[in-house]
Amino acid sequence: DAGVIQSPRHEVTEMGQEVTLRCKPISGHNSLFWYRQTMMRGLELLIYFNNNVPIDDSGMPEDRFSAKMPNASFSTLKIQPSEPRDSAVYFCASSFSSRTTEAFFGQGTRLTVV
Amino acid sequence: AQSVAQPEDQVNVAEGNPLTVKCTYSVSGNPYLFWYVQYPNRGLQFLLKYITGDNLVKGSYGFEAEFNKSQTSFHLKKPSALVSDSALYFCAVRDYNTDKLIFGTGTRLQVFP
């Protein structure tokens, strides 16, 4: 398996534009996580899916952020409208749905909002 | 709620010396604990985990971690540090109720030649 695949790797956009980040989890994994990493706030869990259903979205900063998982092999994180403070590295991770299993991370998407 | 704490923002150690990166946890129920490493401009990589059994867990790249229930700690260790071990290290816990993976704030390890 190629691991967790995220696209794009880098995204530069202007304030106010819509941004869509994409993630393909490892085949067979049924848990998916979206994290955001910044120097100031560290690694924050934004949302967690299990079997394509959002289980916990308490980390989503505000209504500008939304995430979907239409099927087991694809998820998106959308920011609309984007703001400079959204600049961060966004990671997707997947795992089997068990508290004893580790999660595997993608390479991340570095988002810069100017 | 489950949580982990990493009390040190940075740890400095000379190459060849033993290293320890500290982590303490707070959980209800059985703790499921993990260590990850992040190299610059990369995603997090899994190092090792404690689920049950032996308190000393061995993982990748010569790392090991010691689970201590009485001190609620799960410190990462390596007998002899390498310059290439320099990276950001994260401790994590799997939430007992929801299965979500919660990370500590991270510790930057710097190994000097």
Side-chain angles (χ1 to χ4, degrees), chain A residues 79-98:
Chain A
I79 308 172
Q80 166 63 18
S82 58
E83 297 182 2
R85 61 192 168 117
D86 301 330
S87 297
V89 181
Y90 290 81
F91 288 105
C92 175
S94 72
S95 76
F96 293 110
S97 180
S98 166

Side-chain angles (χ1 to χ4, degrees), chain A:
Chain A
D1 200 312
V4 177
I5 300 174
Q6 291 186 246
S7 64
R9 289 294 309 277
H10 302 274
E11 177 79 38
V12 180
T13 191
E14 292 185 347
M15 182 174 62
Q17 296 298 305
E18 177 180 296
V19 176
T20 299
L21 311 182
R22 296 172 175 81
C23 175
K24 177 178 167 54
I26 292 173
S27 178
H29 283 181
N30 51 1
S31 289
L32 185 138
F33 308 83
W34 281 101
Y35 291 90
R36 177 172 68 176
Q37 186 177 32
T38 61
M39 290 291 293
M40 292 298 295
R41 301 174 69 90
L43 195 62
E44 303 172 274
L45 176 62
L46 300 178
I47 188 169
Y48 161 50
F49 291 88
N50 190 38
N51 293 322
N52 312 337
V53 176
I55 302 299
D56 188 332
D57 65 354
S58 59
M60 296 287 262
E62 47 197 276
D63 292 345
R64 298 184 297 107
F65 285 69
S66 62
K68 294 182 179 180
M69 193 164 186
N71 56 61
S73 59
F74 184 64
S75 177
T76 60
L77 178 68
K78 184 178 294 186
I79 308 172
Q80 166 63 18
S82 58
E83 297 182 2
R85 61 192 168 117
D86 301 330
S87 297
V89 181
Y90 290 81
F91 288 105
C92 175
S94 72
S95 76
F96 293 110
S97 180
S98 166
R99 61 181 68 102
T100 64
T101 62
E102 60 273 22
F104 294 84
F105 280 72
Q107 296 282 50
T109 295
R110 182 174 294 278
L111 174 65
T112 303
V113 184
V114 298

Side-chain angles (χ1 to χ4, degrees), chain B residues 9-72:
Chain B
D9 289 338
Q10 179 150 336
V11 170
N12 299 318
V13 64
E15 186 173 34
N17 283 1
L19 69 87
T20 298
V21 182
K22 296 179 180 177
C23 173
T24 58
Y25 65 89
S26 174
V27 302
S28 55
N30 294 325
Y32 301 107
L33 300 162
F34 303 81
W35 275 103
Y36 284 78
V37 60
Q38 185 181 28
Y39 298 102
N41 301 313
R42 303 292 298 273
L44 278 69
Q45 296 178 34
F46 168 73
L47 279 178
L48 52 79
K49 64 183 177 183
Y50 173 82
I51 303 302
T52 186
D54 289 342
N55 290 342
L56 187 63
V57 179
K58 294 189 182 297
S60 307
Y61 312 121
F63 283 93
E64 57 191 26
E66 187 172 8
F67 173 73
N68 188 315
K69 187 173 183 178
S70 63
Q71 298 185 6
T72 62

